[in-house]
Amino acid sequence: MLNYPILKRNGTIGITAPSSGVKKELHPILKEAIERMEARVFAVQCGETPLMHSKLKSAPAYQRAEELNRML
């Protein structure tokens, strides 16, 4: 049985891309998802890597790792 964490109101959701980022043509979808979560009273902190995409990677490994560690 899976137990999913329950997000608390006024909590912060961090968005990072430890692998590939979101292609430019899909940025509006990511922006809409962020706006929907903010409308539900969540703070959303989006890093730089989700908006980057080059050769199936969002950014160099050190940058992805650094951003993920900051989010955690």
Side-chain angles (χ1 to χ4, degrees):
M1 181 157 106
L2 296 174
N3 291 318
Y4 295 100
I6 297 173
L7 299 175
K8 296 178 182 175
R9 288 254 182 228
N10 300 316
T12 300
I13 298 170
I15 302 173
T16 185
S19 185
S20 64
V22 177
K23 293 181 182 179
K24 192 168 189 99
E25 59 268 19
L26 300 176
H27 285 188
I29 295 172
L30 177 60
K31 184 179 177 185
E32 183 179 337
I34 291 169
E35 290 170 356
R36 285 183 179 196
M37 294 310 288
E38 289 173 336
R40 293 187 173 126
V41 198
F42 292 104
V44 179
Q45 186 177 41
C46 186
E48 294 176 9
T49 59
L51 301 174
M52 302 166 79
H53 185 81
S54 177
K55 297 181 182 178
L56 301 178
K57 292 183 193 174
S58 60
Y62 70 89
Q63 185 178 357
R64 291 179 280 147
E66 184 178 283
E67 186 172 89
L68 177 62
N69 283 324
R70 273 196 321 264
M71 294 282 179
L72 295 174

